[in-house]
Amino acid sequence: MTNNRAISSRKIESEALKQLEDISGVNVYACYQCGNCSSACPAVEFMDIPPHQVIRKVQLGFIDELIESETPWICAACITCTVKCPRGVDIAKVMEGLRQIVLRRDFEHINIREIDKKLREKLPQIALIGNFRKTIL
Amino acid sequence: MKRIGVFVCHCGINIAETVDIEAVVKDLKDYPGVAYVQDYKYMCSDPGQNMIKEKIKSEKLDGIVIAACSPTLHENTFRMTVKTVDMNPYNCEIANIREQCSWVHKDKNEATPKAKLIIKSVVEKALLDEELEPVKVPVVRKALVLGGGIAGIQAALSIANSGHEVILVERQSSIGGRMAQLSETFPTLDCSQCILTPKMVDVAQHEKIRLMTYSELEDISGFVGNFKVRIRQKTKYIDWDKCTGCGLCIEKCPKKVPSEFDQELGKRKAVYTPFPQAVPNKPVIDHENCTYFKTGKCKLCKMVCPFDAVDFDETDKFVEEEVGAIVVATGYDVYPVLNMDEYGSGKLPDVIDGLTFERILSSSGPTGGEVRRPSDGKVPKEIVFIKCVGSRDPENHFPYCSKICCMYTTKHAMLYKHRVHDGQPYIFYMDVRAGGKGYEEFYQRAQEEDNVIFLRGKVSKVYQDDDKVVVCGIDTLSGSNIEIRADMVVLAMAIRPSKGVEELAQLLKTAIDQNGFLTEAHPKLRPVESLSAGIYLAGCAQAPKDIPDTVAQASAAASMVSNLFAQEYLLHEPIITGVDEDLCSGCGLCITVCPYDARTLNREKSIVDVNEILCEACGACAAACPSGAAQQRNFTDKQLSNMIKAILI
Amino acid sequence: MFEPKIVAFFCKWCTSAGADLAGTSRITYKPNITGIRVMCSSRVDPEHVLDAFKNGADGVLIGGCHPGDCHYQTGNYQTLKRMKLLKKMLTDLNINENRLRLEWISAAEGKRFAEVVDDFTEEVRNLGQIQYMRL
Amino acid sequence: MQVSYYPGCMLKTNAKNFETSALAVLDRLGVTARELEDWYCCGVCFSQASDNLMQQIAPIRTLVKTKESGNPQLLALCTMCYNTLKRSIEFIKADKDKLETIQEFMDREATRFYGDEVDVIDILSLIKQIGLDKLKEAIVKKVEDLKIASYYGCMLLRPKEIAIDSPDDPNIMEEIITASGCENVYFPFRTECCGSYQIVNEPDIVTDRAKKIVDSAVKNGADLMVMLCPLCYYNLDEVQTEIQKEDNTFQTIPVLYITQLLALLMGLDLDIHDFSLHSVDPRPVLKMKGLL
């Protein structure tokens, strides 16, 4: 990955960014990069891009990087980030927006059938159904 | 009927290009009441003005209309002109045929008839204009300063030094305010008390200043130049006339309570002065905590007092004064740590606010200036400072920047390092705002010489773990989450307008903003005036600011007061709304719409009385009056009605 | 084409200054309107509005400061309150209430001033000449 | 007093202990929880996409049923259900157009629904509403020195619009614990996420979280950990045993639904507990403290 990126008004106003705004209804430009979301995120160490950088990349229009990132899939929607944000940016909704962009292109991110059968029987339904968010809808 | 002269200005081609001046002049000549019409290329030029003067005399005009540019530009010019030939300035009116006619229409056929209508309607106004004299108001040359912190001290001294009397009211028993609590001040690190106490003494000794501590403003009436104020002197239980401040009572008092001045880190007695250098250095008895008031027994202070100054039966006293101007310098409070749930809600003893840390750093503070943490008195080796706590957080707390925290936190880290050489200070910040003289250099020094580690990001959580305080934050520059097992945490809490400002603003009939700070008349051009005439603002009551800014603003407020006092009398716009006693039925509708309380019901005569000085001439009452008793001078119903008709001919 | 006659009342502090700004910015607008400068929109008595209609005005425009910006603290709120009743009264008098309009125009809104005047002129033009029923 | 009761999928399966104990405790406090005759899956996770109205239909249908039931207060024991149902109400209240679209889609429901008519309540708030004095009266067993770590998880506290208490420093469980005569242990991880449904695909996250949460409770001296969420319960209880398999220095702590603890303190029938459902057996601690 190159660290040298061109930004332009065209890129920042991309289709994907618009789609993300439509789905999440969030104005990411309120973010002033205090990092409180990442600081509080319980799963940040499992993420390849910490939440505050996700928001920054959205601001700059680097959506394609985010679509390839694992971060939205690591997010368990505990909403700690949103509660912590001093500027009212609903980061959890941005994560959902990114998941939706991928799902609406590829339909599924994980295959339920790959889950071990034994585990599937033992796990609580709400864990399984919660996990469906990585497949449809 | 009056003889009105109409003077039509070409304004070069600005008006003449789109308005057919000749046609206008011709048409106006026949208009009823118009005795003379003249056009000229530049009416505002010297020859133009001279011509007007001559014609007023030669044509025996008793009112003129100048058809030219907007009245905001030259109304005053022309009114001064006519005054030199003994015409009442209020009989000179402007018809705006430039900004609102020639410049907004292109077609001569459109602009010319409109110009005629505009001029005619103003002629109608001029025909009924009365001769008015500005209302003259005497000025009481004595100022009231509310608040005895550095802002109030500076304002009071400055006004007093220009020769005017000042009453300085402070609700604590000593002046000094927040600045007296500080250790050393940025960016020069001079000791706060060392630079402040001489000024406090100056206040006490100044022959023009009447110092009223332990007092509060109770009531106010009147208006600029003539306020009547009622001040409550709270019960001290000590007769300060007798007391010499020897301190025997304090020494003998058996009851100890947490000291507010020391941010509750140290103790004071139930009879106390807030700090040793207090001005006046005389004690008060704290009714809440005094053993005698609680149990009926004790009276040790009374017994030991060599001057019989203790008086348990004392009550509040009230003082009434007349003042011409008021400076509000009520200062700030620190937003309490208990509002910060993520930082322990005030339950963690070693998580304190910046002001408390000032007391720890102060050589006259509870630790004698040694950095020791509150829980066990240990010297903290790892100390974390967090900025923007409650500030810049519109979602949970306050949207504004508290302005002083960047600098004082940097100072804290520096002073800590000067006292604990092997210690490590960390500062979590979001931005460093060091925009003052010598501030950026100060910040650089902290980084380069004092090894303060600046971490760019917020702290999401602080919790106690054994005897450590764990700080979970982030450094967004490296993208790493940071965990510090610290010995102590200092929070740069948001600063708030001090308690009671809202009620005070109501009392003073001036406004506060959405954050509770007093609103200035204009954010840039009138930054020390309040929205009420004669009331000025200084210090953090208006917005967060540091000592240099506070002193500057206080000096500016004092200079505004001096300006006011330099006037022989105040002139007040005379286009006020009076009352026709014969028509007024005393229904009081006008009273309810008046924003200035200028109208009051005279129950005896069953009519409304008008205080001409309070009236600001909006005319809302005139429109509300059902009987036509309220008529705004030179904007009477008859005048407006004639103007309307003139437009619609 | 029918050219309506419109009387306007502008408060001194905001709308009149906004009109001046339209002038200094050379923004052209329809000439059907003639303004009367008052200290505050709250000075406009409902009677003046009726007076205007009675004398053949096809429309009346009142311009004041934006809510919260009134030079006299609460004047524009008084105006707003009066407008409601006044509009009702116009309806009773068989005058289309849209012939009366209240607008908040600040000293900085020269462009908006021109737009409001043009828009209102068109609206009144569409309503046609006033037929005032004498009571 | 009567409330409507929404069990959701878990209370009939993995979280049977929660249902039986909660209903018994409420009964003792004089509350009848009437299960809705007809209810639908809540969808588990509230859809955070503003354009995904399909996923709102199931919770809204349940809310319509609640309105029809005549008991407008709906008790959701499972915190996931609480969160989803409560947020659905907020969602439609904030956007009437979306409510319109959703209602047009629902053909079976004749009842109109506007959002204000029904309120979703969790059991902690319900107990507080009944009154802590009443709770105190119902406690028959006096225990000494039983230290309880109350674990909140996410769903009752976030987002702020539906939070039952301060998201960063809640106190409602501790108040109930105090009223029931036990001692509180405040541990810093009590409001942190357990890893949730990531147990399916990213179990490492859950293991990491569970270890931190349990360590923190144990370190602060807790005897028991209580909670409400069936998923947190699974993640914390089940995973403890697995962590111990890997790391024998790891100290476990028994996990109970808070209503189980209250039932024990009220001296209710022991048959309502099925202790075989617990992975970390709570019986030794309970015996030691005289609750069994």
Side-chain angles (χ1 to χ4, degrees):
Chain A
M1 212 190 310
T2 167
N3 269 328
N4 199 355
R5 243 162 283 228
I7 58 172
S8 67
S9 58
R10 230 178 99 240
K11 176 154 188 169
I12 293 173
E13 287 160 15
S14 73
E15 273 302 301
L17 182 58
K18 233 183 135 276
Q19 195 189 1
L20 181 65
E21 274 173 357
D22 285 348
I23 299 172
S24 66
V26 173
N27 177 9
V28 292
Y29 292 100
C31 169
Y32 58 13
Q33 287 291 306
C34 70
N36 213 7
C37 46
S38 298
S39 171
C41 177
V44 69
E45 52 200 278
F46 296 87
M47 293 173 172
D48 51 352
I49 304 175
H52 74 282
Q53 287 185 0
V54 169
I55 302 296
R56 186 66 185 145
K57 284 178 194 288
V58 176
Q59 286 178 336
L60 297 179
F62 301 154
I63 301 279
D64 41 347
E65 263 180 73
L66 298 172
I67 285 168
E68 278 165 27
S69 161
E70 272 305 304
T71 293
W73 309 101
I74 296 293
C75 164
C78 74
I79 326 208
T80 307
C81 47
T82 299
V83 167
K84 289 282 180 185
C85 180
R87 298 300 301 270
V89 178
D90 199 330
I91 300 120
K93 280 193 179 157
V94 173
M95 293 291 181
E96 177 70 13
L98 290 168
R99 285 191 289 263
Q100 290 292 329
I101 289 176
V102 175
L103 290 174
R104 289 174 196 188
R105 287 181 191 174
D106 301 338
F107 203 66
E108 62 181 23
H109 187 71
I110 56 136
N111 189 343
I112 304 171
R113 284 165 291 279
E114 281 171 13
I115 303 166
D116 179 62
K117 186 161 178 284
K118 258 201 197 142
L119 192 64
R120 218 158 56 199
E121 277 160 11
K122 191 172 138 198
L123 284 171
Q125 302 91 303
I126 49 177
L128 290 166
I129 298 169
N131 212 53
F132 284 174
R133 65 172 51 243
K134 294 179 182 177
T135 56
I136 41 164
L137 286 177
Chain B
M1 195 183 254
K2 265 183 166 180
R3 290 174 59 80
I4 302 294
V6 177
F7 296 88
V8 187
C9 181
H10 295 227
C11 197
I13 55 160
N14 277 310
I15 294 171
E17 194 178 40
T18 31
V19 174
D20 182 346
I21 305 275
E22 206 180 315
V24 171
V25 170
K26 193 164 170 280
D27 191 36
L28 261 294
K29 273 192 169 140
D30 301 330
Y31 197 75
V34 175
Y36 180 79
V37 187
Q38 176 71 57
D39 63 310
Y40 190 70
K41 202 150 192 169
Y42 289 107
M43 210 56 90
C44 59
S45 65
D46 276 351
Q49 293 191 42
N50 288 334
M51 180 194 70
I52 293 171
K53 286 195 267 190
E54 275 164 33
K55 293 298 171 193
I56 289 173
K57 284 188 281 188
S58 64
E59 300 290 329
K60 297 188 174 56
L61 302 176
D62 43 14
I64 63 165
V65 171
I66 294 165
C69 54
S70 167
T72 46
L73 293 170
H74 284 311
E75 185 176 70
N76 207 35
T77 319
F78 290 120
R79 284 189 168 173
M80 290 306 110
T81 306
V82 303
K83 205 175 167 189
T84 60
V85 286
D86 296 327
M87 177 184 274
N88 184 290
Y90 289 89
N91 284 350
C92 167
E93 294 283 359
I94 307 291
N96 181 352
I97 57 164
R98 194 178 76 173
E99 282 83 351
Q100 299 188 9
C101 187
S102 73
W103 276 354
V104 289
H105 306 305
K106 288 221 169 84
D107 190 340
K108 243 181 177 169
N109 294 328
E110 288 180 346
T112 307
K114 180 167 165 183
K116 290 179 189 169
L117 293 182
I118 292 172
I119 300 169
K120 284 173 187 170
S121 81
V122 178
V123 167
E124 288 295 345
K125 180 171 192 296
L127 276 169
L128 293 177
D129 271 346
E130 284 177 71
E131 299 194 344
L132 301 178
E133 288 301 329
V135 182
K136 283 183 185 175
V137 190
V139 186
V140 177
R141 289 184 183 75
K142 186 192 277 188
L144 171 70
V145 176
L146 298 172
I150 181 59
I153 289 172
Q154 178 69 24
L157 283 173
S158 189
I159 297 167
N161 285 342
S162 58
H164 304 296
E165 280 184 56
V166 179
I167 304 167
L168 176 57
V169 170
E170 162 61 48
R171 66 178 165 197
Q172 305 293 334
S173 65
S174 167
I175 55 171
R178 294 289 178 208
M179 189 177 165
Q181 287 180 280
L182 307 183
S183 55
E184 287 155 36
T185 50
F186 63 80
T188 43
L189 296 187
D190 29 15
C191 145
S192 183
Q193 289 206 337
C194 311
I195 57 176
L196 178 66
T197 37
K199 275 185 175 280
M200 291 164 63
V201 174
D202 285 352
V203 167
Q205 293 175 346
H206 206 294
E207 56 170 1
K208 293 277 186 189
I209 298 179
R210 176 171 176 196
L211 183 54
M212 293 177 73
T213 60
Y214 220 52
S215 301
E216 283 179 41
L217 180 70
E218 178 84 2
D219 200 9
I220 176 171
S221 60
F223 41 86
V224 53
N226 296 273
F227 295 107
K228 281 195 179 61
V229 295
R230 188 170 145 89
I231 298 157
R232 174 199 292 269
Q233 289 187 302
K234 297 183 284 186
T235 316
K236 302 186 272 278
Y237 301 105
I238 309 265
D239 184 342
W240 278 8
D241 291 337
K242 292 182 185 166
C243 172
T244 63
C246 72
L248 258 181
C249 53
I250 303 177
E251 207 179 307
K252 295 292 176 200
C253 176
K255 176 76 181 182
K256 279 186 174 176
V257 291
S259 154
E260 295 86 354
F261 184 80
D262 279 337
Q263 296 291 107
E264 313 216 326
L265 287 177
K267 299 271 189 204
R268 63 159 170 88
K269 297 292 185 65
V271 52
Y272 72 105
T273 57
F275 53 103
Q277 303 89 330
V279 170
N281 201 350
K282 296 183 181 181
V284 294
I285 293 176
D286 163 11
H287 187 279
E288 293 274 295
N289 291 299
C290 169
T291 314
Y292 169 72
F293 285 114
K294 275 187 153 167
T295 65
K297 284 184 193 131
C298 185
K299 290 195 180 181
L300 266 177
C301 49
K302 196 173 172 66
M303 280 183 262
V304 298
C305 179
F307 308 100
D308 193 25
V310 177
D311 175 6
F312 290 114
D313 301 322
E314 201 192 79
T315 50
D316 287 3
K317 288 187 199 71
F318 294 91
V319 174
E320 298 203 352
E321 281 279 352
E322 284 189 17
V323 295
I326 298 174
V327 176
V328 188
T330 46
Y332 71 92
D333 283 339
V334 174
Y335 188 51
V337 180
L338 62 90
N339 293 311
M340 305 311 300
D341 284 356
E342 64 270 46
Y343 301 157
S345 318
K347 286 180 269 194
L348 312 181
D350 295 325
V351 178
I352 60 173
D353 64 38
L355 193 56
T356 310
F357 196 62
E358 290 285 345
R359 293 311 301 147
I360 292 177
L361 290 170
S362 170
S363 47
S364 63
T367 57
E370 278 185 53
V371 181
R372 297 186 174 280
R373 64 181 193 178
S375 63
D376 54 9
K378 272 192 201 157
V379 177
K381 295 293 181 193
E382 306 253 339
I383 185 164
V384 173
F385 297 90
I386 307 175
K387 298 204 299 187
C388 297
V389 183
S391 306
R392 304 177 71 202
D393 186 344
E395 195 60 17
N396 306 298
H397 305 283
F398 309 108
Y400 57 86
C401 163
S402 289
K403 197 168 177 186
I404 57 174
C405 326
C406 278
M407 290 310 291
Y408 82 62
T409 301
T410 306
K411 176 196 78 179
H412 281 170
M414 215 184 236
L415 293 178
Y416 163 78
K417 191 70 185 170
H418 294 175
R419 286 163 175 68
V420 185
H421 301 301
D422 58 342
Q424 179 59 58
Y426 306 89
I427 296 181
F428 279 98
Y429 73 100
M430 290 198 288
D431 293 287
V432 174
R433 295 179 172 174
K437 191 169 177 175
Y439 290 9
E440 177 64 20
E441 297 89 320
F442 185 78
Y443 164 50
Q444 288 169 8
R445 219 167 83 207
Q447 288 177 301
E448 292 165 24
E449 291 170 24
D450 292 303
N451 198 23
V452 179
I453 294 184
F454 283 79
L455 298 156
R456 199 221 161 267
K458 252 197 148 164
V459 169
S460 62
K461 185 171 185 154
V462 166
Y463 64 89
Q464 190 81 37
D465 190 36
D466 300 327
D467 74 335
K468 295 283 182 185
V469 186
V470 184
V471 178
C472 309
I474 188 168
D475 175 50
T476 57
L477 299 180
S478 62
S480 312
N481 276 32
I482 306 277
E483 190 177 285
I484 299 171
R485 295 180 62 78
D487 298 301
M488 188 171 172
V489 174
V490 180
L491 306 176
M493 298 302 302
I495 63 178
R496 305 282 306 130
S498 70
K499 203 168 151 253
V501 161
E502 206 176 332
E503 292 78 5
L504 182 65
Q506 265 173 12
L507 210 58
L508 298 174
K509 294 200 183 61
T510 189
I512 51 171
D513 62 26
Q514 68 273 26
N515 298 313
F517 292 100
L518 290 160
T519 309
E520 62 284 347
H522 188 279
K524 282 172 279 290
L525 301 179
R526 295 169 70 193
V528 298
E529 292 161 76
S530 77
L531 287 171
S532 301
I535 297 178
Y536 305 96
L537 311 174
C540 292
Q542 180 247 342
K545 53 178 74 71
D546 55 20
I547 297 169
D549 282 2
T550 297
V551 172
Q553 197 189 20
S555 307
S559 126
M560 296 298 290
V561 172
S562 298
N563 283 353
L564 183 73
F565 289 176
Q567 296 174 50
E568 203 177 332
Y569 42 75
L570 304 178
L571 289 182
H572 195 76
E573 186 73 77
I575 48 174
I576 53 154
T577 308
V579 165
D580 183 331
E581 296 196 9
D582 294 335
L583 289 176
C584 180
S585 65
C587 72
L589 273 179
C590 58
I591 298 174
T592 57
V593 299
C594 178
Y596 302 98
D597 291 345
R599 307 176 82 85
T600 44
L601 192 63
N602 182 334
R603 289 185 190 281
E604 224 165 272
K605 291 200 211 159
S606 186
I607 57 159
V608 168
D609 287 337
V610 181
N611 185 333
E612 298 193 346
I613 297 162
L614 287 182
C615 174
E616 291 279 341
C618 63
C621 51
C625 178
S627 65
Q631 290 295 341
Q632 185 174 15
R633 288 183 199 156
N634 287 0
F635 280 97
T636 61
D637 285 340
K638 185 74 191 151
Q639 276 175 302
L640 287 172
S641 172
N642 290 351
M643 289 174 86
I644 293 164
K645 283 181 193 133
I647 290 171
L648 294 168
I649 324 166
Chain C
M1 194 162 60
F2 164 59
E3 288 299 340
K5 281 190 273 183
I6 297 170
V7 176
F9 298 94
F10 303 142
C11 84
K12 169 179 167 173
W13 307 97
C14 291
T15 309
S16 191
D20 283 355
L21 181 62
T24 43
S25 320
R26 308 295 200 280
I27 306 169
T28 55
Y29 52 82
K30 299 265 166 21
N32 306 55
I33 193 160
T34 310
I36 294 174
R37 193 170 84 138
V38 288
M39 297 300 275
C40 175
S41 63
S42 68
R43 172 64 189 99
V44 182
D45 194 322
E47 206 135 346
H48 300 139
V49 176
L50 295 178
D51 231 10
F53 285 127
K54 205 157 63 183
N55 286 289
D58 300 299
V60 174
L61 176 69
I62 302 174
C65 309
H66 283 272
D69 290 350
C70 179
H71 184 80
Y72 301 105
Q73 300 177 12
T74 53
N76 50 1
Y77 294 115
Q78 302 293 349
T79 313
L80 186 64
K81 273 198 275 182
R82 281 180 197 142
M83 279 298 281
K84 289 211 168 129
L85 279 172
L86 191 50
K87 287 205 162 205
K88 216 166 156 237
M89 194 160 146
L90 291 182
T91 314
D92 289 346
L93 292 170
N94 215 6
I95 297 171
N96 188 313
E97 61 163 73
N98 293 333
R99 289 186 187 275
L100 171 63
R101 193 191 275 195
L102 172 64
E103 288 277 359
W104 310 132
I105 301 168
S106 81
E109 292 175 323
K111 188 159 175 283
R112 207 176 101 74
F113 177 87
E115 284 164 5
V116 166
V117 170
D118 282 346
D119 186 68
F120 187 55
T121 308
E122 274 321 298
E123 181 167 10
V124 174
R125 196 196 303 279
N126 290 334
L127 289 170
Q129 194 161 8
I130 193 159
Q131 305 292 320
Y132 185 74
M133 306 278 293
R134 276 171 203 283
L135 284 174
Chain D
M1 185 182 175
Q2 242 184 37
V3 293
S4 294
Y5 165 51
Y6 174 80
C9 55
M10 293 299 290
L11 279 287
K12 303 292 181 191
T13 54
N14 298 42
K16 275 183 210 142
N17 277 341
F18 190 12
E19 178 173 64
T20 50
S21 61
L23 295 181
V25 164
L26 287 178
D27 186 53
R28 175 56 61 92
L29 294 172
V31 178
T32 315
R34 290 177 67 98
E35 186 173 325
L36 289 177
E37 281 178 20
D38 208 0
W39 53 263
Y40 307 84
C41 169
C42 69
V44 182
C45 290
F46 176 80
S47 170
Q48 306 214 76
S50 57
D51 61 352
N52 186 358
L53 301 186
M54 271 308 281
Q55 218 173 316
Q56 305 294 346
I57 288 180
I60 301 286
R61 278 203 162 125
T62 295
L63 295 167
V64 171
K65 292 290 166 210
T66 311
K67 181 179 176 183
E68 286 169 353
S69 79
N71 278 327
Q73 208 170 28
L74 179 65
L75 170 68
L77 287 176
C78 169
T79 58
M80 286 279 201
C81 302
Y82 167 80
N83 191 282
T84 313
L85 293 167
K86 188 95 173 174
R87 288 177 81 184
S88 288
I89 295 184
E90 298 296 322
F91 182 78
I92 56 163
K93 276 207 278 197
D95 195 332
K96 296 285 169 205
D97 289 345
K98 290 197 172 133
L99 171 65
E100 201 63 40
T101 316
I102 292 168
Q103 286 197 329
E104 272 169 30
F105 190 83
M106 297 190 301
D107 42 5
R108 295 225 312 260
E109 280 69 19
T111 311
R112 298 295 287 179
F113 181 62
Y114 305 98
D116 288 325
E117 315 96 298
V118 171
D119 192 26
V120 180
I121 193 169
D122 62 290
I123 190 159
L124 299 175
S125 305
L126 183 61
I127 290 174
K128 261 200 98 170
Q129 192 183 308
I130 298 161
L132 293 180
D133 289 337
K134 273 211 157 157
L135 176 67
K136 271 185 204 161
E137 282 167 28
I139 302 289
V140 296
K141 296 212 176 166
K142 295 274 170 271
V143 282
E144 268 183 31
D145 203 27
L146 177 58
K147 295 201 179 80
I148 305 294
S150 296
Y151 175 74
Y152 286 84
C154 306
M155 293 294 142
L156 293 174
L157 299 178
R158 293 184 282 268
K160 267 178 263 182
E161 301 85 71
I162 58 104
I164 64 166
D165 203 342
S166 157
D168 281 307
D169 191 15
N171 205 36
I172 184 165
M173 270 169 110
E174 282 81 357
E175 279 179 70
I176 289 170
I177 293 298
T178 306
S180 70
C182 302
E183 236 177 85
N184 283 308
V185 167
Y186 285 87
F187 63 115
F189 284 79
R190 65 204 176 101
T191 61
E192 296 219 351
C193 177
C194 68
S196 187
Y197 55 77
Q198 296 293 30
I199 185 73
V200 183
N201 280 94
E202 310 279 350
D204 289 352
I205 297 180
V206 176
T207 313
D208 174 71
R209 301 309 299 163
K211 195 163 170 345
K212 283 191 172 125
I213 292 162
V214 171
D215 277 349
S216 172
V218 169
K219 189 169 181 194
N220 283 280
D223 299 311
L224 284 173
M225 183 154 35
V226 299
M227 58 187 61
L228 291 102
C229 178
L231 185 50
C232 297
Y233 180 94
Y234 178 87
N235 282 349
L236 293 179
D237 187 43
E238 196 74 26
V239 173
Q240 281 192 56
T241 340
E242 277 166 33
I243 299 172
Q244 210 181 26
K245 275 183 212 154
E246 307 272 311
D247 171 11
N248 54 10
T249 63
F250 176 74
Q251 212 181 323
T252 60
I253 185 170
V255 175
L256 290 180
Y257 288 107
I258 188 168
T259 49
Q260 281 185 287
L261 176 67
L262 295 179
L264 289 165
L265 291 163
M266 287 176 179
L268 301 177
D269 191 351
L270 286 177
D271 290 349
I272 59 176
H273 304 279
D274 180 355
F275 289 114
S276 72
L277 288 174
H278 293 254
S279 172
V280 177
D281 193 346
R283 280 170 289 197
V285 177
L286 295 175
K287 274 192 189 129
M288 203 168 75
K289 299 290 175 185
L291 284 173
L292 276 185

